[in-house]
RNA sequence: GGACCCUUAGCUCAGUUGGUUAGAGCAUUUCCUUGACAUGGAAGAGGUCACUGGUUCGAGUCCAGUAGGGUCCA
């Protein structure tokens, strides 16, 4: 048996065991027929991403879940992988190209550019998966997937083709192409979905403008006064688009303007043209002066107004956010924000700018590029979501449970207001849409009927048989239109052979999805719809859902509650933390501060405490090893066989009771996703119940040959069960100790080869050895602990806290003394005294009142009566207050008549104890003279 | 504007269905390197549980409102 070193060196241990696990294929997900399964798909990080604290929390949780499942004997499978992350990766490579070669993607051409992206991916990708290994993640690496792999790509294209040929719940084609207003990112040069747009309050100006009436009018008020009416007043934040105005709209019921409807105003910028005044319900008469400039090309509401009134569309912006010739000669070619300034200057010069006031409003930003998006009219592919109603129902019915439950509401609310999904992206890195257009047709003018005409449009995986007559769509699919297939595409779908090989039928639906709530719409909701639609056609709904539980972990924030970000530099590098505190320390510390569904305020001290706990565990095991040779630890049965039921004392009973309680807490932690509670109980059990008390108490027993084997067997038992409970959270140190203390059975070298006992299993195993746990032992041990604390307190107060040769004298009734003397040996040791003997009468010595009567401390020095009197008086005062409170409670008739008996008894008992204590303290005071 | 969450010790957080004197880690005070562990041990100090009202014999816990902080959706 190798000797355990003085302190725990995490890094050596971690590297060794991870290699061993991989070598032994410990993480392989195989399901035997009929075996209960537990499967998780990883939220695939961006292929070029690096590990941050959010990943650490998310993946530690998944690893804990999957490791626990293994210990419970389930066929566990955790599928890893990465996401091609269309925009993010393409942008990254483009930047790199620009910097190193001074070229853009168009200089290289599509084919060459994609080659470069693949090279980049091969060189720099998957780094994050290696980092997850450092953390101890037990993914089945042989199942690593990438959303652009051939098999996965086939799944993506298959899903598109299937959707193209199917209808939504209202019988409409799921996929259509249409020229509609989209969120356009002028930096990435692509359309975005609504979810990729982030509203941010943005400071700017509200420009108050005059639009001259072509035929000035007059207003006649109630008194018959007539005033000239020469212009309309409008407000806009975007004067640079004025040249694209095609009308001014007012509310049809707005009496201020009804007489003007049908008349015209001069457009104040660009070519001097007249535009009509129209009436539309969409105008808010209360906003500004109640008139709205209508610019159909650059605003969604305006576009809809334009449609209703058959207005032309003038697009004054280029794709990259610069103005084009329709913006007028002064603005053409300018960048949009410069043009805004310039437009204001021009308006001011022409006298049409009344004022520009500072204004803050919500502006949509491209989440990825961080620039304001432009509403832009373009041809895109759209998806009408399938299975929307079913997706709501599975959550309402609890087939899919969200934790914390409140996220269900957010989810349902989104589905209630669901909008069609713009799935095409004007990118190259991604899955190219499997649509071919017949040569010679005008793509801009395809009707819904044309889309379904196989002579004009070809949609398939393989492409047309006569490719020379067709041109493939340039656009690729939104990244999320590939990752929404993740739970089943990683299990081989749609290839039957691959599915069989991957144990699709056993691992789907997966058990738990652990992710952040920030992607509940992007990913979670869409996966549910995709799963219902594709995974097991025709199967009952409970077999089609992609997962049964969704656990939303919090966001890791810094101490001030800010999100961790590169720019703020407030995000510690997880690998540094692993270096400093060990992977186990990081995992354990982080989980301790991660209560269900709350954001985590990161505190490095907590991680340090995780490391310290590792060391504590290490040393407790080291001490066990030093106390006696290891006997057969290879199974629970073997250890139990070494227990002597007749030797079990109160401490054994109390410890085993606490162990059972810990087992229950941890079990509940896993079913309810209450990991913080589980880790905290593990901590307090091991440190307080086991080390602080039991190991100390057992020091005496271990010296006694008659009970030594038994006492060590209890320790071996508790350490074994603890390691099993702790392994999911701290796999490295537990593995090392499992091995060092001989818990591994022959041919079963790893912790995961063992089966964790449930609390009921352990009770049954104890019963089978003739052991019934004594429910009252814990209370008696608690009393002894109190006695020890009080005795130590007395020593500290008398400035002999560290001396071990002091003498105590206890004055109490026969019953108290007999209880005390039964535990005398260990108490003497624990309080640090030469002896504790019985006093015959009150003594003129410093004293403290304990549950076993009054305890006097003989330091050999004359007692300081004045100091004692002060101390005892204070004590008497405190006790008196508690007595008064309890008496008042008991004197209340409504309390005594309504409170349950147990509470009443407790109060009465407490009062009696307090009164006895008061009397004793009073006697002591009196004896001081 | 709608929905949700949070407010407990100096800091970060626990506190299960209402029930003795509200807990932990870190920080802090005093003492201790005694044979597991100084990454440690012992003893202590530190809290009107944001505020107001209600329900109840009893509220950190349940209800309503107020204030402050945060998130999501419009």
């Amino acid at each position: 048996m190798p000797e355990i070193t003085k302190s725990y060196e995490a890094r050596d241990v971690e590297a060794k065991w991870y290699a061993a696990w991989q070598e032994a294929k410990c993480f392989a997900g195989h399901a035997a027929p009929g075996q209960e399964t537990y499967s998780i798909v990883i939220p695939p990080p961006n292929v070029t991403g690096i590990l941050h604290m959010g990943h650490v929390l998310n993946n530690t949780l998944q690893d804990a879940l999957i490791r626990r499942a293994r210990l419970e004997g389930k066929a566990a499978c955790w599928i890893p992988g990465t996401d091609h992350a269309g925009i993010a990766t393409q942008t990254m490579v483009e930047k790199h190209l620009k910097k190193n070669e001074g070229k853009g993607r168009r200089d290289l051409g599509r084919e060459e550019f994609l080659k470069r992206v693949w090279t980049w991916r091969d060189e720099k990708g998957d780094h994050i998966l290696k980092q997850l290994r450092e953390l101890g993640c037990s993914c089945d690496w042989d199942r690593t997937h990438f959303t652009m792999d051939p098999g996965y790509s086939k799944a993506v294209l298959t899903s598109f083709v299937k959707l193209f040929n199917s209808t939504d719940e209202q019988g409409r084609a799921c996929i259509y192409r249409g020229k509609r207003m989209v969120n356009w990112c002028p930096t990435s040069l692509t359309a975005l979905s609504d979810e990729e747009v982030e509203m941010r309050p943005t400071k700017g100006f509200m420009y108050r403008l005059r639009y001259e009436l072509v035929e000035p009018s007059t207003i006649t008020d109630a008194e018959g006064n007539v005033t000239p009416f020469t212009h309309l007043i409008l407000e806009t934040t975007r004067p640079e688009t004025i040249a694209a105005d095609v009308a001014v709209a007012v509310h049809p019921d707005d009496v201020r303007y009804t007489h003007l409807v049908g008349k015209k105003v001069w457009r104040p910028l660009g070519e001097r043209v007249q535009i009509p005044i129209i009436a539309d319900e969409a105008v808010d008469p209360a906003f500004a002066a109640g008139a709205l400039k209508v610019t159909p090309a650059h605003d969604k509401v305006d576009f809809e107004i334009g449609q209703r009134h058959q207005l032309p569309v003038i697009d004054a912006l280029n794709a990259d956010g610069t103005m084009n010739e329709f913006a007028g000669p002064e603005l053409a070619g300018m960048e949009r924000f410069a043009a805004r300034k310039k437009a204001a200057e021009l308006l001011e010069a022409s006298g049409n700018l009344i004022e520009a006031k500072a204004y803050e409003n919500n502006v949509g930003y491209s989440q990825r590029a961080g620039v304001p998006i432009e509403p832009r009219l373009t041809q895109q592919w759209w998806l009408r979501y399938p299975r929307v109603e079913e997706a709501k129902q599975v959550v309402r019915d609890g087939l899919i449970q969200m934790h914390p439950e409140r996220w269900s509401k957010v989810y349902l609310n989104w589905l209630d207001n669901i909008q069609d999904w713009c799935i095409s992206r004007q990118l190259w890195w991604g899955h190219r849409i499997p649509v071919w257009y017949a040569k010679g047709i005008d793509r801009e003018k395809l009707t819904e009927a044309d889309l379904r005409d196989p002579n004009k449009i070809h949609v398939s995986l393989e492409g047309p048989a006569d490719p020379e007559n067709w041109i493939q769509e340039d656009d690729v699919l939104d990244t999320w239109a590939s990752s929404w297939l993740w739970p089943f595409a990683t299990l081989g779908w749609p290839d039957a052979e691959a599915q069989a090989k991957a144990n699709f039928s056993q691992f789907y639906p997966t058990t738990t999805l652990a992710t952040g709530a920030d992607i509940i719409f992007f990913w979670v909701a869409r996966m549910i719809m995709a799963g219902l639609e594709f995974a097991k056609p025709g199967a009952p709904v409970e077999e089609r859902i992609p997962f049964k539980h969704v656990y939303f972990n919090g966001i890791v924030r810094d101490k001030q509650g800010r999100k961790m970000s590169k720019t703020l530099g407030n995000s510690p590098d997880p690998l540094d933390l692993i270096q400093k505190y060990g992977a186990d320390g990081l995992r354990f510390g982080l989980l301790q501060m991660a209560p269900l569904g709350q954001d985590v305020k990161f505190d490095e001290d907590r991680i340090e405490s995780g490391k310290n706990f590792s060391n504590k565990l290490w040393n407790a095991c080291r001490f066990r090893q030093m106390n006696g040779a290891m006997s057969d630890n290879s199974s629970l049965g073997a250890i139990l066989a070494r227990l002597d039921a007749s030797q079990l004392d109160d401490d054994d009973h109390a410890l085993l009771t606490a162990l059972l309680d810990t087992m229950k807490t941890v079990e509940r932690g896993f079913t309810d996703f209450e990991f913080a509670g589980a880790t905290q109980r593990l901590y307090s059990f091991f440190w307080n119940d086991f080390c602080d008390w039991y190991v100390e108490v057992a020091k005496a027993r271990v010296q006694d040959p008659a009970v030594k084997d038994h006492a060590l067997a209890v320790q071996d038992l508790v350490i074994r069960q603890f390691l099993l409970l702790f392994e999911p959270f701290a796999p490295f140190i537990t593995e090392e100790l499992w091995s060092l203390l001989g818990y591994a059975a022959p041919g079963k070298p790893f912790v995961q080869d063992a089966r964790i006992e449930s609390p009921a299993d352990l009770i049954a195993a104890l019963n089978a050895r003739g052991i019934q746990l004594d429910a009252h032992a814990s209370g008696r041990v608690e009393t002894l602990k109190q006695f020890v604390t009080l005795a130590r307190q007395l020593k500290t107060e008398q400035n002999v806290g560290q001396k071990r040769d002091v003498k105590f004298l206890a004055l109490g009734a026969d019953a108290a003394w007999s209880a005390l003397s039964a535990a005398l040996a260990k108490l003497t040791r624990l309080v640090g005294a030469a002896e504790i003997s019985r006093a015959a009468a009150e003594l003129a010595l410093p004293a403290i009142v304990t549950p076993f009567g009054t305890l006097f401390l003989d330091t050999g020095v004359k007692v300081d009566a004045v100091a004692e009197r002060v101390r005892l008086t204070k004590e008497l005062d405190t006790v008196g207050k508690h007595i008064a409170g309890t008496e008042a409670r008991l004197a209340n008739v409504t309390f005594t008549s309504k409170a349950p008996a147990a509470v009443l008894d407790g109060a009465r008992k407490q009062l009696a104890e307090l009164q006895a204590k008061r009397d004793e303290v009073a006697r002591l005071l009196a004896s001081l003279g």
Side-chain angles (χ1 to χ4, degrees), chain A residues 218-227:
Chain A
T218 53
I219 298 179
T220 311
D221 66 16
E223 277 103 50
N225 301 317
V226 177
T227 46

Side-chain angles (χ1 to χ4, degrees), chain A residues 40-53:
Chain A
I40 298 178
V41 288
I42 202 169
N46 288 1
V47 66
T48 55
I50 54 157
L51 193 71
H52 58 62
M53 292 308 296

Side-chain angles (χ1 to χ4, degrees), chain A residues 26-280:
Chain A
C26 284
F27 310 148
H30 294 307
Q35 189 182 7
E36 190 180 347
T37 58
Y38 195 103
S39 52
I40 298 178
V41 288
I42 202 169
N46 288 1
V47 66
T48 55
I50 54 157
L51 193 71
H52 58 62
M53 292 308 296
H55 295 123
V56 173
L57 174 61
N58 176 245
N59 287 289
T60 298
L61 290 162
Q62 292 175 73
D63 196 44
L65 287 167
I66 210 82
R67 284 179 182 272
R68 171 85 184 188
R70 282 195 198 99
L71 287 172
E72 288 173 348
K74 294 172 186 161
C77 185
W78 184 11
I79 301 176
T82 49
D83 191 309
H84 68 281
I87 299 180
T89 306
Q90 174 163 323
T91 309
M92 192 181 286
V93 177
E94 277 187 291
K95 267 190 195 155
H96 176 78
L97 273 177
K98 200 96 201 162
K99 196 175 153 202
N100 290 308
E101 301 178 35
K103 287 180 187 165
R105 64 173 153 135
R106 289 181 200 284
D107 300 323
L108 294 178
R110 186 167 189 141
E111 203 176 324
E112 180 59 26
F113 177 75
L114 286 178
K115 255 195 213 166
R116 301 294 184 94
V117 185
W118 276 105
T119 308
W120 176 274
R121 181 231 115 100
D122 291 340
E123 284 172 8
K124 316 229 166 162
D126 287 354
H127 191 55
I128 193 164
L129 298 184
K130 294 184 190 87
Q131 294 178 313
L132 288 177
R133 291 172 171 84
E134 299 280 315
L135 189 62
C137 292
S138 60
C139 305
D140 183 352
W141 299 110
D142 292 335
R143 289 177 181 256
T144 303
H145 286 79
F146 175 50
T147 51
M148 290 280 282
D149 280 342
Y152 201 100
S153 297
K154 186 180 162 195
V156 175
L157 301 185
T158 302
S159 72
F160 182 93
V161 174
K162 279 180 183 282
L163 287 168
F164 188 85
N165 294 317
S166 55
T167 52
D168 71 357
E169 286 159 327
Q170 282 136 59
R172 301 170 301 181
C174 278
I175 285 186
Y176 63 94
R177 186 172 158 83
K179 191 164 191 174
R180 301 189 11 186
M181 291 302 273
V182 297
N183 309 298
W184 183 264
C185 175
T187 299
S188 308
L189 300 178
T190 179
L192 301 173
S193 65
D194 294 341
E195 288 70 33
E196 286 164 288
V197 176
E198 193 175 277
M199 302 308 283
R200 292 189 204 164
T202 303
K203 288 196 167 87
F205 291 95
M206 180 60 86
Y207 299 91
R208 197 172 171 85
L209 306 171
R210 357 177 345 138
Y211 276 47
E212 296 288 338
L213 287 165
V214 173
E215 299 163 29
S217 163
T218 53
I219 298 179
T220 311
D221 66 16
E223 277 103 50
N225 301 317
V226 177
T227 46
F229 190 53
T230 58
H231 59 268
L232 282 175
I233 291 173
L234 294 86
E235 292 193 354
T236 181
T237 56
R238 304 202 57 188
E240 74 279 12
T241 64
I242 286 175
D245 288 356
V246 294
V248 167
V250 296
H251 195 276
D253 301 334
D254 191 338
V255 292
R256 291 174 297 177
Y257 302 121
T258 38
H259 66 289
L260 294 173
V261 173
K263 303 221 160 100
K264 296 195 165 180
V265 292
W266 291 109
R267 198 167 59 197
L269 261 189
E271 198 187 340
R272 186 169 166 80
V273 297
Q274 301 175 4
I275 53 174
I277 297 168
I278 58 169
D280 195 282

Side-chain angles (χ1 to χ4, degrees), chain A residues 732-769:
Chain A
F732 294 108
I733 188 171
T734 46
E735 193 71 84
E736 178 75 357
L737 290 169
W738 188 260
S739 165
L740 285 172
L741 297 178
Y743 288 117
K748 295 180 166 181
F750 303 107
V751 179
Q752 70 164 51
D753 297 324
R755 291 293 157 263
I756 192 165
E757 287 80 14
S758 68
D761 291 341
L762 183 60
I763 290 171
L766 289 167
N767 289 349
R769 284 282 297 135

Side-chain angles (χ1 to χ4, degrees), chain A residues 172-184 191-192 194 296-300 303-304 307 313 315 374-384 418-424 426 444 448:
Chain A
R172 301 170 301 181
C174 278
I175 285 186
Y176 63 94
R177 186 172 158 83
K179 191 164 191 174
R180 301 189 11 186
M181 291 302 273
V182 297
N183 309 298
W184 183 264
L192 301 173
D194 294 341
H298 301 297
D299 186 278
K300 205 174 169 194
F303 177 73
E304 284 159 8
Q307 293 290 93
V313 175
D315 188 346
E374 283 295 334
R376 186 158 189 253
L377 194 61
T378 51
Q379 285 278 359
Q380 302 289 346
W381 288 94
W382 296 86
L383 174 70
R384 293 188 183 102
I418 199 160
Q419 303 288 315
D420 292 351
W421 178 8
C422 174
I423 51 171
S424 48
Q426 288 65 54
E444 294 296 305
E448 183 68 14

